[in-house]
Amino acid sequence: MFRGCFVASVTPFQGGAIDMRAFGDHLEWLIDSGVHGLVPCGTTGEAATMSVEEHIDCIKAAVRIVKGRVPVIAGAGANGTVEAVALVQAAKQVGADAALVVTPYYVKPSQQGLYEHFAAVAEQADLPMVLYNVPSRTGVNLLPQTVERLAALPQIVAVKEAGGTIHQTIEIRARAPRLAVLSGDDNLYLPHLAVGAQGIISVLANVAPAPWSQLYEHFAAGRFSEAQRIFLRLFPACKAMFIESNPMPVKAAMVMLGRCGPELRLPLTQISPENHAQLQGVLRECGILDA
């Protein structure tokens, strides 16, 4: 289940509410483009700005739209363990295949606190779990030693590693070979595959789903030069997706492609005119946007 190009899908909004029609159209386009899985309600999906009811409705809608064609890994983390358990339980009830559970943010727990948090969610929620490490957003790093301890829990099946370096991924692969590793950094997608990762949960795949999925398929089939060619061509777009805070640039790119409206929820805002022009230029140079 946890192999290939998974998309950390954006959430279209209109008039302050989730635009379910645009959301459905986007997920259908991603599936038609060959992606291997979908991850609604993560960072890219603006889950932090959703109410609990919206969050669950969005996951439920994704499951209904997908109809089992690809796995749905529901974003279901929280900075409190009780809330995280409730979100993962809700994701299970609406039919998600697994849950992506981020390290608690703001509270900055110890490694023991992280272990106990994930262990409690795994035990009480009883849904396959993907650990999510993104210290640049949460202020805490889930160390490989802690991942190794968590790998003994059968409900924990994978880790999304977005620490920004290759070294931690290498150590996780060595310490916890049972777990699938999914890259959380588009600009390290191919290097992560090269050291044993099984795929990616991608921001860029919202706007380049076909080539990003083909990259994985080329790599898995041993066609390394083809995978490298795609990676190098799209590498400038990987960086451009983070020209400002995610998901502001990818939402702007989606608007350029006519795939959703521009609405974001505060405190997220539109990217600056200068960065908009730069992003547009990069997308054209990479062949994502028509010249």
PDB file of all heavy atoms in Angstrom, residues 176-199:
ATOM      1  N   ALA A 176      14.974   0.769  11.371  1.00  0.00           N
ATOM      2  CA  ALA A 176      13.580   0.308  11.334  1.00  0.00           C
ATOM      3  C   ALA A 176      13.232  -0.194   9.936  1.00  0.00           C
ATOM      4  O   ALA A 176      12.369   0.374   9.252  1.00  0.00           O
ATOM      5  CB  ALA A 176      12.645   1.442  11.753  1.00  0.00           C
ATOM      6  N   PRO A 177      13.888  -1.263   9.480  1.00  0.00           N
ATOM      7  CA  PRO A 177      13.668  -1.725   8.104  1.00  0.00           C
ATOM      8  C   PRO A 177      12.246  -2.202   7.835  1.00  0.00           C
ATOM      9  O   PRO A 177      11.838  -2.276   6.671  1.00  0.00           O
ATOM     10  CB  PRO A 177      14.687  -2.867   7.951  1.00  0.00           C
ATOM     11  CG  PRO A 177      14.984  -3.310   9.347  1.00  0.00           C
ATOM     12  CD  PRO A 177      14.899  -2.082  10.193  1.00  0.00           C
ATOM     13  N   ARG A 178      11.477  -2.526   8.882  1.00  0.00           N
ATOM     14  CA  ARG A 178      10.094  -2.969   8.664  1.00  0.00           C
ATOM     15  C   ARG A 178       9.215  -1.846   8.136  1.00  0.00           C
ATOM     16  O   ARG A 178       8.247  -2.084   7.400  1.00  0.00           O
ATOM     17  CB  ARG A 178       9.498  -3.496   9.978  1.00  0.00           C
ATOM     18  CG  ARG A 178       8.073  -4.035   9.814  1.00  0.00           C
ATOM     19  CD  ARG A 178       7.471  -4.463  11.139  1.00  0.00           C
ATOM     20  NE  ARG A 178       7.126  -3.347  12.004  1.00  0.00           N
ATOM     21  CZ  ARG A 178       6.007  -2.623  11.887  1.00  0.00           C
ATOM     22  NH1 ARG A 178       5.149  -2.870  10.920  1.00  0.00           N
ATOM     23  NH2 ARG A 178       5.759  -1.639  12.730  1.00  0.00           N
ATOM     24  N   LEU A 179       9.529  -0.598   8.496  1.00  0.00           N
ATOM     25  CA  LEU A 179       8.684   0.529   8.129  1.00  0.00           C
ATOM     26  C   LEU A 179       8.972   1.000   6.707  1.00  0.00           C
ATOM     27  O   LEU A 179      10.132   1.096   6.289  1.00  0.00           O
ATOM     28  CB  LEU A 179       8.899   1.700   9.091  1.00  0.00           C
ATOM     29  CG  LEU A 179       8.596   1.478  10.570  1.00  0.00           C
ATOM     30  CD1 LEU A 179       8.742   2.785  11.330  1.00  0.00           C
ATOM     31  CD2 LEU A 179       7.201   0.890  10.769  1.00  0.00           C
ATOM     32  N   ALA A 180       7.916   1.315   5.987  1.00  0.00           N
ATOM     33  CA  ALA A 180       8.077   2.027   4.723  1.00  0.00           C
ATOM     34  C   ALA A 180       8.469   3.469   5.042  1.00  0.00           C
ATOM     35  O   ALA A 180       7.984   4.057   6.012  1.00  0.00           O
ATOM     36  CB  ALA A 180       6.781   1.997   3.931  1.00  0.00           C
ATOM     37  N   VAL A 181       9.354   4.025   4.238  1.00  0.00           N
ATOM     38  CA  VAL A 181       9.721   5.438   4.371  1.00  0.00           C
ATOM     39  C   VAL A 181       9.213   6.178   3.144  1.00  0.00           C
ATOM     40  O   VAL A 181       9.474   5.774   2.007  1.00  0.00           O
ATOM     41  CB  VAL A 181      11.242   5.621   4.510  1.00  0.00           C
ATOM     42  CG1 VAL A 181      11.583   7.109   4.568  1.00  0.00           C
ATOM     43  CG2 VAL A 181      11.754   4.920   5.758  1.00  0.00           C
ATOM     44  N   LEU A 182       8.462   7.239   3.384  1.00  0.00           N
ATOM     45  CA  LEU A 182       7.962   8.094   2.317  1.00  0.00           C
ATOM     46  C   LEU A 182       8.616   9.460   2.460  1.00  0.00           C
ATOM     47  O   LEU A 182       8.574  10.069   3.530  1.00  0.00           O
ATOM     48  CB  LEU A 182       6.438   8.220   2.406  1.00  0.00           C
ATOM     49  CG  LEU A 182       5.664   6.903   2.268  1.00  0.00           C
ATOM     50  CD1 LEU A 182       4.190   7.109   2.584  1.00  0.00           C
ATOM     51  CD2 LEU A 182       5.832   6.330   0.866  1.00  0.00           C
ATOM     52  N   SER A 183       9.220   9.915   1.390  1.00  0.00           N
ATOM     53  CA  SER A 183       9.853  11.230   1.425  1.00  0.00           C
ATOM     54  C   SER A 183       8.803  12.301   1.652  1.00  0.00           C
ATOM     55  O   SER A 183       7.727  12.282   1.054  1.00  0.00           O
ATOM     56  CB  SER A 183      10.581  11.499   0.101  1.00  0.00           C
ATOM     57  OG  SER A 183      11.092  12.821   0.083  1.00  0.00           O
ATOM     58  N   GLY A 184       9.120  13.252   2.507  1.00  0.00           N
ATOM     59  CA  GLY A 184       8.255  14.406   2.703  1.00  0.00           C
ATOM     60  C   GLY A 184       8.816  15.657   2.091  1.00  0.00           C
ATOM     61  O   GLY A 184       8.281  16.744   2.298  1.00  0.00           O
ATOM     62  N   ASP A 185       9.894  15.510   1.328  1.00  0.00           N
ATOM     63  CA  ASP A 185      10.563  16.650   0.693  1.00  0.00           C
ATOM     64  C   ASP A 185      10.661  16.389  -0.802  1.00  0.00           C
ATOM     65  O   ASP A 185      11.387  15.491  -1.236  1.00  0.00           O
ATOM     66  CB  ASP A 185      11.973  16.842   1.258  1.00  0.00           C
ATOM     67  CG  ASP A 185      11.973  17.255   2.717  1.00  0.00           C
ATOM     68  OD1 ASP A 185      11.382  18.310   3.019  1.00  0.00           O
ATOM     69  OD2 ASP A 185      12.561  16.539   3.542  1.00  0.00           O
ATOM     70  N   ASP A 186       9.936  17.170  -1.598  1.00  0.00           N
ATOM     71  CA  ASP A 186       9.994  16.984  -3.049  1.00  0.00           C
ATOM     72  C   ASP A 186      11.406  17.116  -3.592  1.00  0.00           C
ATOM     73  O   ASP A 186      11.797  16.385  -4.511  1.00  0.00           O
ATOM     74  CB  ASP A 186       9.073  17.988  -3.743  1.00  0.00           C
ATOM     75  CG  ASP A 186       7.610  17.565  -3.699  1.00  0.00           C
ATOM     76  OD1 ASP A 186       7.282  16.546  -4.314  1.00  0.00           O
ATOM     77  OD2 ASP A 186       6.805  18.252  -3.058  1.00  0.00           O
ATOM     78  N   ASN A 187      12.191  18.039  -3.028  1.00  0.00           N
ATOM     79  CA  ASN A 187      13.539  18.246  -3.563  1.00  0.00           C
ATOM     80  C   ASN A 187      14.515  17.149  -3.164  1.00  0.00           C
ATOM     81  O   ASN A 187      15.666  17.148  -3.613  1.00  0.00           O
ATOM     82  CB  ASN A 187      14.075  19.625  -3.170  1.00  0.00           C
ATOM     83  CG  ASN A 187      14.256  19.786  -1.680  1.00  0.00           C
ATOM     84  OD1 ASN A 187      13.797  18.964  -0.892  1.00  0.00           O
ATOM     85  ND2 ASN A 187      14.927  20.848  -1.279  1.00  0.00           N
ATOM     86  N   LEU A 188      14.068  16.181  -2.336  1.00  0.00           N
ATOM     87  CA  LEU A 188      14.881  15.007  -1.988  1.00  0.00           C
ATOM     88  C   LEU A 188      14.223  13.700  -2.451  1.00  0.00           C
ATOM     89  O   LEU A 188      14.630  12.616  -2.024  1.00  0.00           O
ATOM     90  CB  LEU A 188      15.123  14.951  -0.475  1.00  0.00           C
ATOM     91  CG  LEU A 188      16.065  16.012   0.101  1.00  0.00           C
ATOM     92  CD1 LEU A 188      16.117  15.897   1.621  1.00  0.00           C
ATOM     93  CD2 LEU A 188      17.454  15.900  -0.489  1.00  0.00           C
ATOM     94  N   TYR A 189      13.248  13.799  -3.321  1.00  0.00           N
ATOM     95  CA  TYR A 189      12.481  12.633  -3.766  1.00  0.00           C
ATOM     96  C   TYR A 189      13.398  11.538  -4.311  1.00  0.00           C
ATOM     97  O   TYR A 189      13.414  10.410  -3.793  1.00  0.00           O
ATOM     98  CB  TYR A 189      11.494  13.109  -4.830  1.00  0.00           C
ATOM     99  CG  TYR A 189      10.551  12.101  -5.424  1.00  0.00           C
ATOM    100  CD1 TYR A 189      10.313  10.849  -4.866  1.00  0.00           C
ATOM    101  CD2 TYR A 189       9.841  12.440  -6.577  1.00  0.00           C
ATOM    102  CE1 TYR A 189       9.414   9.960  -5.440  1.00  0.00           C
ATOM    103  CE2 TYR A 189       8.936  11.558  -7.156  1.00  0.00           C
ATOM    104  CZ  TYR A 189       8.731  10.325  -6.595  1.00  0.00           C
ATOM    105  OH  TYR A 189       7.832   9.458  -7.166  1.00  0.00           O
ATOM    106  N   LEU A 190      14.175  11.847  -5.326  1.00  0.00           N
ATOM    107  CA  LEU A 190      15.040  10.828  -5.925  1.00  0.00           C
ATOM    108  C   LEU A 190      16.144  10.378  -4.970  1.00  0.00           C
ATOM    109  O   LEU A 190      16.392   9.166  -4.844  1.00  0.00           O
ATOM    110  CB  LEU A 190      15.626  11.333  -7.241  1.00  0.00           C
ATOM    111  CG  LEU A 190      16.433  10.310  -8.045  1.00  0.00           C
ATOM    112  CD1 LEU A 190      15.608   9.075  -8.381  1.00  0.00           C
ATOM    113  CD2 LEU A 190      16.975  10.945  -9.327  1.00  0.00           C
ATOM    114  N   PRO A 191      16.832  11.279  -4.250  1.00  0.00           N
ATOM    115  CA  PRO A 191      17.811  10.811  -3.263  1.00  0.00           C
ATOM    116  C   PRO A 191      17.209   9.907  -2.202  1.00  0.00           C
ATOM    117  O   PRO A 191      17.827   8.919  -1.785  1.00  0.00           O
ATOM    118  CB  PRO A 191      18.355  12.112  -2.656  1.00  0.00           C
ATOM    119  CG  PRO A 191      18.186  13.127  -3.736  1.00  0.00           C
ATOM    120  CD  PRO A 191      16.908  12.752  -4.417  1.00  0.00           C
ATOM    121  N   HIS A 192      15.998  10.197  -1.750  1.00  0.00           N
ATOM    122  CA  HIS A 192      15.348   9.328  -0.774  1.00  0.00           C
ATOM    123  C   HIS A 192      15.097   7.941  -1.359  1.00  0.00           C
ATOM    124  O   HIS A 192      15.316   6.923  -0.690  1.00  0.00           O
ATOM    125  CB  HIS A 192      14.031   9.947  -0.304  1.00  0.00           C
ATOM    126  CG  HIS A 192      14.188  10.884   0.848  1.00  0.00           C
ATOM    127  ND1 HIS A 192      13.402  12.005   1.008  1.00  0.00           N
ATOM    128  CD2 HIS A 192      15.022  10.867   1.917  1.00  0.00           C
ATOM    129  CE1 HIS A 192      13.749  12.628   2.119  1.00  0.00           C
ATOM    130  NE2 HIS A 192      14.735  11.962   2.686  1.00  0.00           N
ATOM    131  N   LEU A 193      14.624   7.876  -2.595  1.00  0.00           N
ATOM    132  CA  LEU A 193      14.431   6.571  -3.232  1.00  0.00           C
ATOM    133  C   LEU A 193      15.755   5.815  -3.309  1.00  0.00           C
ATOM    134  O   LEU A 193      15.797   4.598  -3.098  1.00  0.00           O
ATOM    135  CB  LEU A 193      13.846   6.743  -4.634  1.00  0.00           C
ATOM    136  CG  LEU A 193      12.408   7.255  -4.740  1.00  0.00           C
ATOM    137  CD1 LEU A 193      12.017   7.410  -6.206  1.00  0.00           C
ATOM    138  CD2 LEU A 193      11.425   6.340  -4.023  1.00  0.00           C
ATOM    139  N   ALA A 194      16.817   6.542  -3.590  1.00  0.00           N
ATOM    140  CA  ALA A 194      18.124   5.904  -3.766  1.00  0.00           C
ATOM    141  C   ALA A 194      18.639   5.257  -2.485  1.00  0.00           C
ATOM    142  O   ALA A 194      19.424   4.303  -2.549  1.00  0.00           O
ATOM    143  CB  ALA A 194      19.138   6.917  -4.281  1.00  0.00           C
ATOM    144  N   VAL A 195      18.201   5.738  -1.322  1.00  0.00           N
ATOM    145  CA  VAL A 195      18.664   5.148  -0.058  1.00  0.00           C
ATOM    146  C   VAL A 195      17.602   4.253   0.572  1.00  0.00           C
ATOM    147  O   VAL A 195      17.726   3.867   1.729  1.00  0.00           O
ATOM    148  CB  VAL A 195      19.134   6.229   0.942  1.00  0.00           C
ATOM    149  CG1 VAL A 195      20.302   7.014   0.374  1.00  0.00           C
ATOM    150  CG2 VAL A 195      17.995   7.161   1.347  1.00  0.00           C
ATOM    151  N   GLY A 196      16.557   3.921  -0.191  1.00  0.00           N
ATOM    152  CA  GLY A 196      15.619   2.920   0.276  1.00  0.00           C
ATOM    153  C   GLY A 196      14.218   3.363   0.605  1.00  0.00           C
ATOM    154  O   GLY A 196      13.415   2.546   1.056  1.00  0.00           O
ATOM    155  N   ALA A 197      13.897   4.640   0.391  1.00  0.00           N
ATOM    156  CA  ALA A 197      12.514   5.067   0.591  1.00  0.00           C
ATOM    157  C   ALA A 197      11.617   4.396  -0.442  1.00  0.00           C
ATOM    158  O   ALA A 197      12.053   4.066  -1.546  1.00  0.00           O
ATOM    159  CB  ALA A 197      12.393   6.585   0.487  1.00  0.00           C
ATOM    160  N   GLN A 198      10.360   4.203  -0.086  1.00  0.00           N
ATOM    161  CA  GLN A 198       9.414   3.519  -0.964  1.00  0.00           C
ATOM    162  C   GLN A 198       8.523   4.468  -1.754  1.00  0.00           C
ATOM    163  O   GLN A 198       7.691   4.024  -2.541  1.00  0.00           O
ATOM    164  CB  GLN A 198       8.545   2.561  -0.155  1.00  0.00           C
ATOM    165  CG  GLN A 198       9.246   1.273   0.251  1.00  0.00           C
ATOM    166  CD  GLN A 198      10.118   1.442   1.494  1.00  0.00           C
ATOM    167  OE1 GLN A 198      10.077   2.471   2.143  1.00  0.00           O
ATOM    168  NE2 GLN A 198      10.891   0.423   1.821  1.00  0.00           N
ATOM    169  N   GLY A 199       8.690   5.771  -1.552  1.00  0.00           N
ATOM    170  CA  GLY A 199       7.849   6.700  -2.283  1.00  0.00           C
ATOM    171  C   GLY A 199       7.911   8.086  -1.690  1.00  0.00           C
ATOM    172  O   GLY A 199       8.879   8.450  -0.996  1.00  0.00           O
TER     173      GLY A 199
END
